[in-house]
Amino acid sequence: MTSLGDKGEGHRETTTKVLNQGSWTQVSCPCCVSEQVEPLVLIQLSDNIQPVTKRWLISLIEVPERDGGAALLAHPGEDECGDVIVVSAPRCTLLRATEDLGLCKKYHNGDMVAFSYNDRDNFRNVDDMQEFLTLAERQYIVKYELDFLRAQKGQKIPGVPESQGVLKARENICQKLEKAGVIKDIFPLHDKQRLTDLCRNWYSGKQIWGQPLDSIQAYFGGTVGFYFSFLDFYTWALVPPAILGLVLTFLLPGGGSGAGVVKEQAGGVVEVDDSPSVSGHMVQAVFSMLWSTLVMEFWKRRSSSLSHRWGLLHLAERFAEPRPGFHGTLGINPVTGRLEPLFPEWQRQLRVGLVSVPLVGFFLGMVVLGMTGFYHGEALAQGFHQDSGSLFSGALLYLPSVAHIVYTNMLGNVYRTVAMQLTEWENHREESSFQNHHTTKVLLFTFFNYFAVLFHIAFYKQDLPLLRKRLASLLIVTQLVNQCTEVVVPFIVDRFFSAPQKKQQEDDPNVDKLRAQRSLPPFPGLFAEYIELLVQFGYLSLFSCVYPLTAVLLLLNNVTEIRADAYKICKLFRKPFSAPVSNIGVWQTAFEVLGFVSVMSNCWLLLLSPRVREFCLEGGISGRNIILFAILVEHVLILVKMILAFMIPDEPDWVRIKREQIEFHSMQALGQQVRE
């Protein structure tokens, strides 16, 4: 069992109150026996659960894996008629799952080594699961074992109507119970004392910079840990472009501070050109392109260092059981030798190429169609207003914008549903593959949704003053909305609409305290947070040469963003499960693609700049030569980006050596097992 005794130095004893110890299911393994059991996960059942169904589920949870169970520990709550099951994990189950997941742990010599169950006695703290595994890892292992509960043979679920309660051989049990309404929810439990300590060190203090990343990863898992690490790294990386933007705006002549060059045109119209000077344009454009490359290359090095420190360099998801939603024809996996659903890779690729890609392209076309309709409607409304000049026609000027907002929101909602269904239909075996394909689909749509209008203004209308105003308004409005939704609203919710657990008394039953955590809304994930960072990165790398203060506004936003996101995940949502990950996944590729596109964007924005055009015309350079020169500069800068990416290794030498040592040690351990 998960031990709460024999604490080593620096070990923090959890203050999550344990339940009645006599009601936990028993273990037969002597090394797993412990005086206390740590509640890790709560299964919320339906209100009208039949006792026979609950007993059957508890028996499956406690039965050894060789007999088709999860080999976990279960507590029935108040009694066998209650609607909760509290789950923990014995030591041997945790250790075997650690090996299955490919986690690295400290060996007796202090090196990080891929854990091997047969060599477990040579790993540090292997007898104390609270030192050996983080809370997030222990809770994920419980979910991992529950997710892969599969029926050994066809059978009927006791206490469930036959129309809903027939299990087929190798069918996922938890997924079936959720569809039948037997299981309402499965979620990890907060440890109140550890959460309080984390909050105090994370966002409750007066520090502006720095985050307890190791504590975040230990409590919330690698997914959350890598997000906040990237947010911290990216926020620091905004300092150089912010300083450059201030210098170009306020110190250089014509820097865009409003004291621009005054030009008098025909008809007495006075135009103020407050765009940056030629030198300012060039410096900002080249800097943005190089900055976007260096940021991502150095982040990859930072990410690999964290992956090693957190024991995530050797993950083995592709050898694990298939994800719960995966289906196919039952057969023997040629790699693992296990009986499991099999689905040919060529069929998946066919589904992606012939169905998913065209449908995604169709929705991207709908985005462009909506944008075209918006401009057409705007032109019609302005023409009608010029002809009539009435209050009614003036009100109609806002109709195209309102209609476009409604259209894009409705299209986005439909697309998100379609993207999820398409990814499910593609039938990916691994969870990471499923998430990457789903994220890529939504990412493409989001990119078009956020940047299509800006590209249209820049390269079709070629109206850089309008682009500058649109970018500035987007940044300012977005920042104000973000501060309201991510700081003010959460504070009001937490302050005046207290969660039920705040009203609990010390003498409340322990099960009620655990059950109360379900009253919090489920954590929505980090998708929206990454989208926000990606859009920021796009504004800065793609268009900052026309508005140098972009980085300044983003830096001010992100300083509060770190604390706001920390506050939300700690206080306003249920604790999420977090699978072990070694980096930020497909998001890293998305940021790199934006960095590549920034080369083309900045080169052509530089070419379209009125001051650059005027400078070239005064120098006697023809329009054809200007275009050829822009193409040449674009290719040179792309080459420079590629050279920089090649020269900067993705991981430091010491991490590469450690990774190779881990692989070598794993090969040795495997060879020893074969010889034995």
Side-chain angles (χ1 to χ4, degrees), residues 106-159:
K106 282 192 176 181
Y107 209 54
H108 62 79
N109 60 2
D111 291 337
M112 296 295 287
V113 174
F115 180 75
S116 170
Y117 183 80
N118 292 332
D119 193 28
R120 59 188 179 277
D121 293 333
N122 287 318
F123 284 82
R124 292 185 179 181
N125 302 312
V126 75
D127 292 325
D128 186 352
M129 289 299 98
Q130 293 200 36
E131 280 286 348
F132 186 72
L133 294 168
T134 66
L135 176 61
E137 288 170 344
R138 298 195 298 275
Q139 291 175 327
Y140 179 77
I141 286 173
V142 171
K143 180 180 183 295
Y144 173 82
E145 298 294 343
L146 291 174
D147 279 346
F148 299 129
L149 267 177
R150 295 184 181 272
Q152 296 288 87
K153 58 183 180 180
Q155 58 182 296
K156 181 182 179 302
I157 302 173

Side-chain angles (χ1 to χ4, degrees), residues 435-564:
Q435 294 296 338
N436 287 343
H437 279 78
H438 177 246
T439 301
T440 302
K441 292 181 182 68
V442 182
L443 206 55
L444 285 171
F445 180 84
T446 304
F447 179 84
F448 266 73
N449 220 17
Y450 278 100
F451 297 116
V453 173
L454 294 177
F455 276 110
H456 183 269
I457 294 172
F459 301 113
Y460 182 76
K461 286 190 169 185
Q462 298 186 7
D463 191 343
L464 293 194
L466 177 60
L467 176 64
R468 188 178 306 113
K469 293 174 183 176
R470 182 66 180 258
L471 186 60
S473 62
L474 277 174
L475 288 169
I476 295 171
V477 171
T478 301
Q479 186 167 334
L480 290 174
V481 171
N482 284 343
Q483 295 305 311
C484 181
T485 57
E486 298 192 6
V487 179
V488 179
V489 173
F491 175 78
I492 292 174
V493 171
D494 189 51
R495 182 73 173 82
F496 299 104
F497 302 95
S498 301
Q501 61 262 33
K502 288 190 174 183
K503 302 175 183 178
Q504 295 169 5
Q505 304 297 324
E506 286 297 323
D507 57 351
D508 286 346
N510 290 326
V511 172
D512 288 345
K513 293 181 180 180
L514 300 180
R515 186 190 284 109
Q517 294 188 27
R518 186 174 181 267
S519 62
L520 291 171
F523 182 63
L526 296 168
F527 195 93
E529 310 302 334
Y530 274 118
I531 285 289
E532 183 181 342
L533 293 182
L534 187 70
V535 171
Q536 285 188 12
F537 190 81
Y539 287 156
L540 180 57
S541 60
L542 298 174
F543 304 110
S544 65
C545 69
V546 299
Y547 189 63
L549 289 178
T550 300
V552 178
L553 296 175
L554 296 181
L555 180 61
L556 293 174
N557 178 79
N558 285 8
V559 168
T560 57
E561 176 85 11
I562 293 175
R563 288 180 169 233

Side-chain angles (χ1 to χ4, degrees), residues 227-245:
Y227 166 72
F228 280 99
S229 177
F230 180 73
L231 177 57
D232 184 75
F233 180 88
Y234 170 66
T235 302
W236 274 102
L238 288 173
V239 174
I243 294 174
L244 178 64

Side-chain angles (χ1 to χ4, degrees), residues 196-209:
T196 301
D197 293 344
L198 177 60
C199 294
R200 183 174 59 252
N201 296 327
W202 194 358
Y203 65 83
S204 297
K206 297 181 179 179
Q207 74 278 6
I208 296 179
W209 302 104

Side-chain angles (χ1 to χ4, degrees), residues 238-252 280 282-288 291 544 548-549 551-552:
L238 288 173
V239 174
I243 294 174
L244 178 64
L246 291 172
V247 171
L248 293 179
T249 302
F250 297 108
L251 298 184
L252 287 185
M282 291 182 175
V283 169
Q284 183 69 48
V286 174
F287 180 86
S288 295
W291 175 85
S544 65
L549 289 178
V552 178

Side-chain angles (χ1 to χ4, degrees), residues 147-148 150 170 172 317-327 333 338-342 428-431:
D147 279 346
F148 299 129
R150 295 184 181 272
R170 296 298 296 169
N172 187 282
E317 185 191 21
R318 59 198 178 102
F319 302 125
E321 286 276 343
R323 55 181 291 270
F326 180 73
H327 58 272
N333 187 310
R338 290 192 294 255
L339 180 68
E340 64 179 50
L342 301 178
H428 298 277
R429 184 184 185 276
E430 292 88 18
E431 183 66 27

